[in-house]
Amino acid sequence: MAATDRITMTMRELDRFKVIQSVVDGLLKPWRAAQRLALTTRQVRRLAARLREQGAAGLISGRCAKPSNHRIDAGIAVRAVAIIKERYSDFGPTLACEKLRECHDVLLAKETVRQLMIAAGLWTPRRQRTPKIHQPRNRRSCYGELIQIDGSDHAWFEERARACTLLVYVDNATSRLMALHFTATESTFSYFEATRHYLESHGKPVAFYSDKYSVFRSTRAATTGNRVTQFGRAMYELNIDTFCANSSPAKGRVERAHLTLQDRLVKELRLRGIQTMEAANTYALSFMATYNAHFAKPPRSVFNAHRPLRDDEDLDAILTWRVMRKVSRSLTVLNDRVIYLLEDTVANRKLIGRYLDVWEYPDGRIEIRADGAALRYVPYDKLSEIDQGVVIEHKRLGHTLQVAQALQAQRDNRRVSGSPSRTNRGAKVRSKERAPGTKKQREFTLDDLNAAVRATCCTPAGPVPASDSRQPPCR
C-alpha cells in the first residue's frame, strides 16, 4: 500500500478496486464482476491476480503521471504563442488557428490554440464571461425571403484611413452575407448603390428588414402620417416590401454579423494592407465567399425566393431621389437651395404654376421632367456663404462642409500672414502704404471661393456632371 500513498487513484479506479477486492475475498464471482465493470471475465481474473501481488497500486494505469503520447512539441507551442503575441494578439482562437496554418505552416488544432492562448492570458474562456440572455427567434424558411440590412460606422482601416460605413446585407434564413459595400456615409444614395449591386447579383428578395433610420422611415411620420421615404418608394416600384424593426435585437442576424465583421474583416484588411474603400469593395467578394463557407446555415426549404428583374424595371430611373417642385412666373424651379433656370420657350411658359418632377441620380445628375421628358436648364447655386446655425439637410451636408473647410482655411491663412481683415480698418489703411514699385497682391474673396466650389460641382449649363456616387452629390 506504499504505492497508493504516492499515487492518487481516480474515482473510476477506486470503484474498480472495491469490486476486484470483493472477487479476491470470495464475495463476488468473476463473471458477475465482469458484468458490473463492463470487462471480460479473463480481464477480471488478471486484475484480481495483480491486486494480490501488488496491492491497490496494481490497479492504477501504467500511464499515470507520464506525459501523453499525443502532446505537442514544446518548441512548436512556444513558437505558436510567440507568433500570436506578435501578430494576432487580438485574434480569436479559431481565426488565429487559421492564420497559423495559412501563413506560418504551424499545424495545430483549434482547441490546442485555445488552450495555449488561455495559458498565455490572450483569451478569456466562455465560462468566465458574463452570461448573455438570448430569446429564441426562428429563422425564415426560404433563402431570399427576408434580408436584414444595416450600416456599421467603424474604423475599418484602423489608423491607415478615416472611419467609414459598411453596408451589410444578411439573409435571415441562412445567415449568408449577401452584399458588403464600403461607403463614406450611410445615406439614401449609398443604399441605392449597394441595393443595385445586390439586385444585379441575386435578384429581388421578398422583403428588406431594417431599423428606423431616416433612410427607411420618415422622421416626420408621426406628424404627417407619411412613412414612405425615397428608398421605400424605390423598393415599392420594384415590388419589394420594406419593414422596420422595433429594436436592434429584432434584427439580430445583421447585428451579430457586425460583431464578426468588426473582428475578422478589420484584421483581414490589415493583413492585406488595404486602406481605401475601392480596394475594400473589391476584396469584399472573396471575403464573403470565405465567410459564408464558415458561418452560413442551410435553409429549411430549398426554394429560392429571389425573383429576377423584369425588362420594364429600369434601375437607373427607379433608384433616384424624386421631389415635386413648382415652376415660378420667371420660369425658375427652386430645389435644395439651387435655382434652375428653364429656357424661355412657348412650351415652357405653359408650365408656369405647374409642379414638375425633379430627379436626382446617384452620380449627381439632375433632371427636371415634365410629362415624362427632361427639360433643359441652367443651374444657379443659391448657397453663397455659410451662416452660423443655418439648418442644412443631410443630403446637402457634403457640399456645405467643403465650403466651410475652404472658408476656415482662408481665415487661418489671413490670421497667420497678418493680412487685413474687414474689421481692422487701421491695418487696412496701413496695408495701402507700400514701398514704390511693389506689386499689389489680389486678396482671395468669398465670391472667388464660391465660384471655385461651384466650378468643381456644377457646369455653367446643363446637367450636373458625375461625382462620387458613394457620397450625397454636391452642387
Side-chain angles (χ1 to χ4, degrees), residues 163 182-183 244 254 270 323:
F182 288 90
T183 181
C244 295
V254 68
R270 181 204 308 166
V323 290

CSV table of all heavy atoms in Angstrom, one decimal, residues 163 182-183 244 254 270 323:
chain,number,residue,atom,x,y,z
A,163,ALA,N,-12.4,56.7,-40.6
A,163,ALA,CA,-13.5,55.8,-40.4
A,163,ALA,C,-14.6,55.9,-41.5
A,163,ALA,O,-14.8,57.0,-42.0
A,163,ALA,CB,-14.1,56.0,-39.0
A,182,PHE,N,-18.6,49.3,-48.8
A,182,PHE,CA,-18.0,50.4,-48.1
A,182,PHE,C,-18.4,51.7,-48.7
A,182,PHE,O,-18.3,51.9,-49.9
A,182,PHE,CB,-16.5,50.2,-48.1
A,182,PHE,CG,-15.9,49.1,-47.2
A,182,PHE,CD1,-15.8,47.8,-47.8
A,182,PHE,CD2,-15.6,49.3,-45.9
A,182,PHE,CE1,-15.3,46.8,-47.0
A,182,PHE,CE2,-15.2,48.3,-45.1
A,182,PHE,CZ,-15.0,47.0,-45.7
A,183,THR,N,-18.8,52.6,-47.8
A,183,THR,CA,-19.2,54.0,-48.3
A,183,THR,C,-18.8,55.0,-47.3
A,183,THR,O,-18.5,54.7,-46.1
A,183,THR,CB,-20.7,54.0,-48.6
A,183,THR,OG1,-21.1,55.3,-49.0
A,183,THR,CG2,-21.5,53.7,-47.3
A,244,CYS,N,-39.5,47.9,-40.8
A,244,CYS,CA,-38.6,48.4,-39.8
A,244,CYS,C,-38.7,47.7,-38.5
A,244,CYS,O,-39.8,47.4,-38.1
A,244,CYS,CB,-38.9,49.9,-39.6
A,244,CYS,SG,-38.6,51.0,-41.1
A,254,VAL,N,-28.1,40.5,-38.6
A,254,VAL,CA,-27.1,41.5,-39.1
A,254,VAL,C,-26.3,42.2,-38.0
A,254,VAL,O,-25.2,42.5,-38.1
A,254,VAL,CB,-27.9,42.6,-39.9
A,254,VAL,CG1,-28.8,43.4,-39.1
A,254,VAL,CG2,-26.9,43.4,-40.7
A,270,ARG,N,-6.2,44.6,-42.6
A,270,ARG,CA,-4.9,44.9,-42.1
A,270,ARG,C,-3.8,44.0,-42.6
A,270,ARG,O,-2.7,44.5,-43.1
A,270,ARG,CB,-4.8,44.8,-40.5
A,270,ARG,CG,-3.5,45.2,-39.9
A,270,ARG,CD,-3.3,44.6,-38.5
A,270,ARG,NE,-4.5,44.8,-37.7
A,270,ARG,CZ,-4.7,44.1,-36.6
A,270,ARG,NH1,-3.9,43.2,-36.2
A,270,ARG,NH2,-5.8,44.4,-35.8
A,323,VAL,N,-38.6,64.5,-56.2
A,323,VAL,CA,-39.4,65.5,-55.5
A,323,VAL,C,-40.2,66.3,-56.5
A,323,VAL,O,-39.9,66.3,-57.7
A,323,VAL,CB,-38.5,66.5,-54.6
A,323,VAL,CG1,-37.9,65.8,-53.5
A,323,VAL,CG2,-37.4,67.1,-55.5
